[in-house]
Amino acid sequence: MNIENYLELSKEVQQAKRDGLPIVALESTIISHGMPYPQNVKTAREVEQIIRDHGAVPATIAILNGKVKIGLSDEELEYLGKATDVYKASRRDIPYLIATNKDGATTVAATMICAELADIAVFVTGGIGGVHRGAEQSMDISADLEELSMTNVAVVCAGAKSILDIQLTMEYLETKGVPVYGFQTDSLPAFYTRTSPFSVNYNIQSESDMAKALKTKWELGLNGGAVIANPIPEEFAMNEGTMNDVISKALQEAEEQGIKGKDVTPFLLAKVKELTGGKSLDANIALVKNNAVVGAKIAVEYTNIK
Ligand code: PSU
Ligand code: MN
């Protein structure tokens, strides 16, 4: 069977492909497991519009009705935002879900795989998975990191969340040869905050230089993705001390309740939201939108040199 038989592109994405327009991939776990309804669906739609407003075409990705969907309708976004039985789909889950006609919302890892299948080079999200705190015991390391080491898609995000062990996440990425580019920053952003105690590998000042770095990597046959770390806008950034306290509490509750495996990240995100009285959700929404602006511009520049 031809790989194309597994893919279903939306009309908008098909047209973009015919016209050679820049396309930006978007994940769907952030909709189904990362944010509550209805903010999740509203944000997903707004993010898509921001990408259009900056000259690119959005392609939100999910596994639906036995297909890899590249570009979702409004109804499909609404469904993913509301449904409570949609699987969180990472690399390991894709074949089973397709083969059994079950619906899955794609994580960063799975979205990268699907984007590459559809020949989309730039992907915008909020935060990537990483090495969890205590991973030396739990071995909880997100499949997102392995995917970044082998799949040729650049991921625009707001850095690594401090629910993770940021230092170990950076070490892992270094071992796997994944470049971490800061967009106009020397410090690795930590999702809710603009800075962290860690440095990015390189501070890249413009979208066109970012596009050139990506192009060069792949033309040299250096397979794998890149992390493009874009700090949260100043006005939405949260206090580092407060966030550290909140995250410690959330981690402690996860431990007490025995949360394991794929449930860890969604549990922590929901807990952090609860403990910040919803402020972390506002920050999350703002940073994804900000990433959409930068990602669309990088996709435009990338297409220009293609
Ligand atoms: N970080 C967020 N929001 C999210 C996720 C991460 O701020 O929604 C999701 C992404 O889909 C990411 C996944 O790929 O969680 C990582 O899950 P895990 O740690 O189980 O690999
Ligand atoms: Mn995990």
Side-chain angles (χ1 to χ4, degrees):
M1 196 172 166
N2 197 307
I3 198 102
E4 260 84 61
N5 295 333
Y6 289 101
L7 301 181
E8 197 172 301
L9 276 56
S10 69
K11 290 254 148 57
E12 186 183 17
V13 172
Q14 283 179 35
Q15 190 61 46
K17 290 226 158 253
R18 278 194 292 270
D19 297 344
L21 297 178
I23 304 174
V24 172
L26 297 161
E27 63 155 309
S28 46
T29 294
I30 191 174
I31 304 172
S32 63
H33 294 74
M35 287 184 194
Y37 183 82
Q39 289 95 332
N40 53 1
V41 176
K42 183 165 179 275
T43 305
R45 290 196 177 123
E46 287 172 359
V47 165
E48 289 197 342
Q49 193 52 45
I50 289 169
I51 288 171
R52 291 187 193 99
D53 293 344
H54 290 82
V57 172
T60 307
I61 291 175
I63 313 285
L64 295 173
N65 309 315
K67 297 269 184 191
V68 172
K69 288 264 199 168
I70 311 285
L72 302 181
S73 66
D74 261 6
E75 294 72 42
E76 288 165 335
L77 285 180
E78 182 77 17
Y79 162 68
L80 286 172
K82 259 190 181 157
T84 50
D85 54 353
V86 170
Y87 288 81
K88 176 179 163 189
S90 193
R91 168 177 273 265
R92 66 160 186 210
D93 308 289
I94 296 174
Y96 170 79
L97 295 177
I98 292 180
T100 57
N101 257 302
K102 293 187 170 72
D103 295 336
T106 50
T107 63
V108 168
T111 305
M112 288 179 73
I113 294 169
C114 300
E116 186 175 63
L117 290 174
D119 195 24
I120 301 173
V122 179
F123 162 24
V124 163
T125 189
I128 54 168
V131 180
H132 280 261
R133 296 200 204 172
E136 39 312 355
Q137 281 297 320
S138 66
M139 287 186 69
D140 190 350
I141 299 172
S142 175
D144 293 352
L145 299 183
E146 278 300 303
E147 208 58 53
L148 280 160
S149 77
M150 57 184 154
T151 300
N152 297 352
V153 173
V155 183
V156 183
C157 64
K161 231 172 297 71
S162 44
I163 59 171
L164 302 170
D165 188 317
I166 299 181
Q167 181 155 20
L168 293 190
T169 301
M170 288 299 281
E171 292 291 352
Y172 199 100
L173 291 168
E174 179 175 324
T175 300
K176 293 290 178 174
V178 179
V180 178
Y181 298 129
F183 182 69
Q184 299 172 349
T185 180
D186 290 315
S187 174
L188 178 71
F191 199 80
Y192 301 115
T193 55
R194 288 178 62 81
T195 59
S196 73
F198 309 97
S199 298
V200 296
N201 303 147
Y202 300 101
N203 177 350
I204 296 188
Q205 290 299 320
S206 69
E207 289 89 354
S208 66
D209 284 349
M210 199 65 90
K212 264 185 232 159
L214 298 173
K215 185 82 182 163
T216 305
K217 182 175 198 286
W218 295 323
E219 279 189 342
L220 286 168
L222 298 171
N223 284 332
V227 174
I228 298 173
N230 183 36
I232 184 172
E234 188 85 63
E235 61 273 32
F236 291 96
M238 303 191 59
N239 180 277
E240 201 173 331
T242 313
M243 284 320 284
N244 284 339
D245 292 348
V246 162
I247 285 164
S248 301
K249 259 205 197 116
L251 287 165
Q252 195 188 327
E253 281 200 41
E255 169 86 31
E256 282 164 10
Q257 295 186 35
I259 311 293
K260 294 266 175 334
K262 69 199 269 192
D263 298 329
V264 171
T265 299
F267 178 90
L268 292 174
L269 289 173
K271 216 10 105 189
V272 167
K273 180 194 163 240
E274 185 190 310
L275 293 170
T276 58
K279 266 179 127 182
S280 69
L281 180 60
D282 296 340
N284 200 343
I285 292 169
L287 67 84
V288 177
K289 289 182 180 173
N290 188 44
N291 292 344
V293 174
V294 171
K297 289 182 180 172
I298 293 170
V300 168
E301 294 295 340
Y302 186 79
T303 305
N304 286 343
I305 49 174
K306 213 174 180 182

